[in-house]
Amino acid sequence: MNSKTKKIITIGTLCAITYVIMAVGRIPVVLFLKYDPSDVIVTLGGLIWGPMTSCVVAIIVATIEMITVSDTGILGCIMNIVQTISFACTASAIYKKKRTMSGAVISLFAGCAAMVAVMMLWNYLITPLYMGYPRETVAELLLPAFFPFNLLKSMLNAAITFLLYKPVITALRKSGYVAMSEKEYKKPKRNSFLLPAVMIIITCVLIILSMNGII
C-alpha cells in the first residue's frame, strides 16, 4: 500500500469514527451547548499524523454534520470547524515540534487555551447570527455560560486524548500502520500524569451530570 492510499484510508477512517461519535455521543450541558468527545479522535489523528490531518478531518466531518444532522446551517458548520481546529491543530502543531512527555502536556494545555480564547470571540460574534440571540444577551452569557462550557469541553477532551494516545499509537505500531521511529516518552513520567488526567475526567463528568440535574 503506497503512502497516498494509506493517507486516504486514514483520513476516511478518522472521519467515520469522528462522525459516529458526534452523532451518538451528544450530551446537553448548558443552554443549546452540547458536549461530545468527537474532537478527541480528530486530535489523536493530528498528534499521530500531523496538524493537517486534524484540519482535513475537522472540515469534512463538520460539512457532513451540516448536511445530515445539524440545524444551524453554514454558520454552525463554520463554528464547529473553528472550535475543532483551534484545539486539535494547536495541540498537534506543538506536539509535532516537541514529541516528548512535556511536549504532550504543553500541547494539550495550549489547545485548551486556544479553543477557549477563540470560541469566546466567535461565540460573541457569530452566535447571535445563527441562534437568534441578541448580541447583548450573548455578551451577558459569555462568562457564566460560554466560558465554563468551552473550558470544560477542552479540558475533558485533553484528558481523554492524553489517556488514549499511548495505547492507540502502540496498537498502530504493532500493526505496522505507524513507523516505530517516533520518540517514546518514558513510561514512569507518563504514569505521573495519569491520575491528574483521570481526576480531570471525573470532575468534568460530575459537573456535566450536575448541570443536567442528574446528581
Side-chain angles (χ1 to χ4, degrees):
M1 185 185 300
N2 60 46
S3 59
K4 185 176 181 180
T5 302
K6 183 181 290 188
K7 190 72 172 180
I8 292 173
I9 293 174
T10 298
I11 290 175
T13 302
L14 289 171
C15 288
I17 297 172
T18 302
Y19 179 83
V20 170
I21 292 176
M22 176 278 301
V24 304
R26 292 181 172 185
I27 303 170
V29 179
V30 60
L31 301 176
F32 58 88
L33 301 170
K34 297 179 181 180
Y35 171 78
D36 71 75
S38 59
D39 285 355
V40 171
I41 306 301
V42 183
T43 308
L44 285 171
L47 295 179
I48 297 169
W49 290 287
M52 281 305 300
T53 298
S54 289
C55 183
V56 172
V57 173
I59 293 171
I60 292 174
V61 173
T63 302
I64 297 174
E65 178 184 353
M66 176 185 68
I67 297 171
T68 56
V69 298
S70 176
D71 57 1
T72 56
I74 185 65
L75 291 177
C77 176
I78 293 172
M79 289 284 281
N80 287 336
I81 292 172
V82 169
Q83 174 236 280
T84 302
I85 286 178
S86 63
F87 177 76
C89 290
T90 299
S92 54
I94 294 174
Y95 187 65
K96 184 178 181 180
K97 300 293 184 180
K98 189 176 177 62
R99 288 184 175 273
T100 62
M101 181 68 238
S102 61
V105 175
I106 291 170
S107 67
L108 289 170
F109 272 110
C112 291
M115 176 183 156
V116 172
V118 168
M119 292 312 295
M120 287 289 282
L121 176 61
W122 278 71
N123 281 134
Y124 176 74
L125 295 175
I126 306 298
T127 298
L129 301 181
Y130 76 94
M131 292 304 298
Y133 285 27
R135 194 173 301 280
E136 295 76 13
T137 300
V138 173
E140 293 174 356
L141 292 172
L142 285 177
L143 289 179
F146 291 108
F147 176 78
F149 171 78
N150 286 305
L151 181 61
L152 178 74
K153 181 173 184 176
S154 63
M155 291 296 290
L156 191 51
N157 285 339
I160 296 173
T161 300
F162 180 83
L163 291 180
L164 290 181
Y165 177 79
K166 185 66 175 182
V168 168
I169 193 68
T170 300
L172 289 172
R173 284 173 178 156
K174 287 182 177 179
S175 68
Y177 203 79
V178 172
M180 298 294 291
S181 59
E182 181 186 335
K183 292 180 181 179
E184 292 275 0
Y185 44 74
K186 296 179 181 179
K187 189 173 182 180
K189 288 187 177 181
R190 179 177 182 270
N191 287 345
S192 65
F193 287 93
L194 289 179
L195 182 58
V198 171
M199 292 305 298
I200 288 172
I201 293 173
I202 293 173
T203 301
C204 291
V205 169
L206 290 175
I207 291 173
I208 292 174
L209 292 176
S210 64
M211 295 178 75
N212 282 277
I214 298 175
I215 60 173

